[in-house]
């Protein structure tokens, strides 16, 4: 590796365990966390981080772990990526906030121009910036309701859209996201998703049948004319990296077009080169009316965006959108650095290459071990679904145990899925190949042990 943005020595790109995981220093910090932070804020892997970059995360005890999580698909360009660090450093010395709605600044506009140009479709677009994925989705729905004058919002099985009242309502899974937090927002309706592995009549029929069922439910139970928006992830993230059967997304989009329904693609997790395209919608040529982005947008600084058809976004009255911090200048500079890094380092191609390395090794794991029921994903967004051998019964305890053992070996992996039985892999796109291979070898060893 080269140097960091400050010109100091780069983080060694190696797995290095010098204590058990978590080590004594992390355990001390965990005790403080437990006394100061409510348990509702969970911890996947209780090592306290001191540095991170490339493909590693270094903890307070000096352990260096291989990162297959990217802070949930956020540090696509790597942690403390030089392009991000340089821009943020410069900005933090100039000014840290003015509120874009009070006295604007150029970087906000530059991010919006870039997103208008880079998101799918060459129609006229507008973008505005907010702080989180949930806030972006919530605002996309506000815009769609305002522009159409309709109340209903349609979402899908296994969907995840955030933790605010509206986005928690849009989210499918009860535990842990919704339990005890109701009553939920009105006028939200859920329809089937084309989940090939679990489609009752088999994956071949999945796209056709799931789309037909979804459309029939919209027509019969809601009335297409009452629907403001359909909100869908092009690959369901928290729901288990479910890639909808090919043909499903185009059918849903076609139905939306025909009925004046705003098609909102939630690309908060799939965006910014993660899937081997800049945006996952591109894979099937989907051009969303509105696209929401966050996570990978700014290398870890809090930023999110709503990008969409100019006629929809322009429908909202002056002052109807915004927020104190939306498009904070540090986060905007970070986003510009991310876009430069994606281009200069060819990270779209890197993501595709990561998929070419990971998917064959995961498939060979599936051939050898019946506990691996399904392997799926695109680019650097891949997963395995664990089942009781000989059945398709979800096996969440196996997923949890594999994750636990990977963590102990110094490999950060995350779980996901409606049934909690999916292990998902989201390495930074800049991870060196030797660490990617080493991480996969650890995973193979741990699955074999189970
Ligand atoms: C993470 C996520 C969100 C919520 O983003 P936050 O920044 O956590 O509010 C929304 N949609 C999808 C698809 C996500 O993965």
């Amino acid at each position: 590796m080269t140097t960091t943005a400050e010109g100091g020595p780069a983080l060694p790109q190696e797995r290095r365990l010098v204590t058990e995981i978590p080590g004594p220093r992390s355990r001390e910090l965990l005790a403080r966390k437990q006394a100061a932070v409510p348990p509702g804020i969970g911890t996947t892997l209780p090592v306290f981080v001191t540095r991170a970059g490339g493909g590693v995360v270094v903890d307070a005890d000096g352990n260096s772990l291989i990162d297959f999580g990217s802070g949930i698909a956020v540090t696509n360009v790597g942690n403390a990526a030089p392009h991000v660090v340089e821009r943020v450093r410069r900005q933090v010395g100039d000014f840290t906030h003015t509120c874009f709605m009070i006295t604007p600044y150029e970087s906000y506009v530059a991010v919006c121009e870039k997103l208008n140009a880079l998101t799918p479709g060459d129609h006229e677009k507008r973008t505005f910036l907010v702080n989180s994925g949930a806030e972006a989705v919530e605002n996309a729905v506000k815009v769609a309701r305002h522009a159409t004058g309709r109340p209903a919002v349609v979402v899908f099985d296994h969907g995840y859209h955030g933790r605010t009242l509206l986005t928690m309502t849009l989210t499918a899974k009860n535990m842990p996201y919704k339990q005890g937090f109701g009553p939920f927002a009105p006028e939200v309706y859920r329809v089937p998703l084309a989940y090939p592995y679990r489609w009752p009549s088999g994956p071949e029929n999945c796209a056709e049948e799931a789309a037909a069922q979804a459309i029939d439910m919209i027509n019969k139970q809601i009335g297409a004319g009452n629907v403001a928006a359909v909100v869908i992830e092009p690959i369901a993230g928290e729901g288990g990296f479910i890639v909808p059967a090919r043909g499903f997304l185009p059918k849903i989009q076609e139905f939306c077009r025909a009925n004046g329904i705003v098609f909102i693609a939630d690309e908060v997790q799939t965006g910014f080169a993660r899937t081997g395209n800049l945006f996952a919608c591109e894979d099937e040529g989907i051009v969303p009316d509105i696209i929401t982005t966050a996570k990978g947008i700014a290398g870890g600084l809090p930023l999110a965006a709503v990008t969409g058809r100019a006629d929809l976004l322009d429908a909202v009255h002056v002052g109807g959108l915004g927020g104190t911090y939306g498009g904070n200048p540090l986060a905007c500079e970070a986003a510009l650095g991310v876009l430069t890094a994606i281009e200069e380092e060819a990270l779209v191609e890197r993501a595709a290459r990561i998929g070419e390395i990971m998917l064959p090794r995961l498939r060979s794991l599936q051939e050898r071990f019946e506990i691996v029921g399904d392997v799926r994903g695109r680019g650097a967004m891949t997963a395995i679904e664990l089942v009781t051998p000989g059945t398709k019964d979800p096996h969440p305890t196996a997923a949890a145990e594999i994750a636990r053992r990977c963590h102990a070996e110094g490999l950060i992996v995350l779980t996901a899925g409606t049934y909690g039985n999916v292990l998902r892999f989201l390495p930074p796109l800049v991870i060196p190949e030797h660490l990617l291979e080493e991480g996969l070898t650890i995973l193979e060893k741990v699955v074999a042990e189970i």
Side-chain angles (χ1 to χ4, degrees), residues 20-263:
E20 61 185 341
I21 301 290
R25 180 75 187 122
S26 279
R27 283 203 302 272
E28 264 174 49
L29 290 165
L30 185 65
R32 278 172 56 194
K33 181 217 169 213
Q34 281 162 346
V37 181
I41 304 290
T43 305
T44 297
L45 171 49
V47 299
F48 280 70
V49 177
T50 53
R51 279 190 78 189
V56 299
V57 170
V58 175
D59 76 11
D61 293 287
N63 299 297
S64 175
L65 291 80
I66 299 175
D67 185 11
F68 274 14
S70 300
I72 322 186
V74 169
T75 53
N76 294 4
V77 299
N79 246 298
H83 283 296
V84 172
V85 172
E86 279 160 24
R87 281 180 168 274
V88 172
R89 269 185 200 283
R90 220 179 305 132
Q91 180 61 45
V92 77
D94 289 346
F95 66 96
T96 47
H97 173 82
T98 65
C99 186
F100 186 76
M101 304 179 304
I102 306 300
T103 48
Y105 38 90
E106 180 177 348
S107 57
Y108 184 119
V109 180
V111 171
C112 296
E113 287 169 346
K114 292 249 184 219
L115 290 176
N116 292 344
L118 293 170
T119 49
D122 49 18
H123 54 286
E124 195 174 348
K125 292 176 212 153
R126 302 282 186 266
T127 292
F128 65 100
L129 303 176
V130 290
N131 301 296
S132 70
E135 209 186 337
V137 173
E138 185 124 10
N139 273 282
V141 170
K142 277 169 66 172
V143 168
R145 281 180 166 157
H146 197 288
T148 60
R150 302 173 178 182
V153 181
V154 172
V155 287
F156 292 80
D157 287 338
H158 312 289
Y160 179 86
H161 301 289
R163 293 177 182 264
T164 60
L165 176 59
L166 177 61
T167 58
M168 162 177 76
T169 308
L170 300 178
T171 292
K173 190 176 176 178
N174 178 54
M175 204 50 194
Y177 306 121
K178 302 169 86 162
Q179 176 61 37
F181 297 140
F184 301 108
E187 290 296 328
V188 173
Y189 302 87
R190 192 170 309 285
V191 298
L193 177 74
Y195 186 170
Y197 178 63
R198 295 195 176 275
W199 197 254
S201 60
E204 321 73 50
N205 307 313
C206 180
E208 193 90 17
E209 288 180 12
Q213 285 181 21
I215 289 167
D216 189 61
M217 284 173 76
I218 295 171
N219 282 325
K220 296 295 182 311
Q221 299 180 21
I222 316 166
N226 297 318
V227 179
V230 158
V231 186
I232 188 163
E233 298 159 90
I235 298 177
E238 302 302 305
F241 283 23
I242 302 163
V243 184
R246 274 193 97 71
F248 179 77
L249 291 172
K251 281 192 167 62
I252 297 296
Q253 185 185 35
E254 202 179 285
F255 173 78
C256 289
R257 279 251 156 93
N259 290 279
I261 298 168
V262 178
F263 183 96

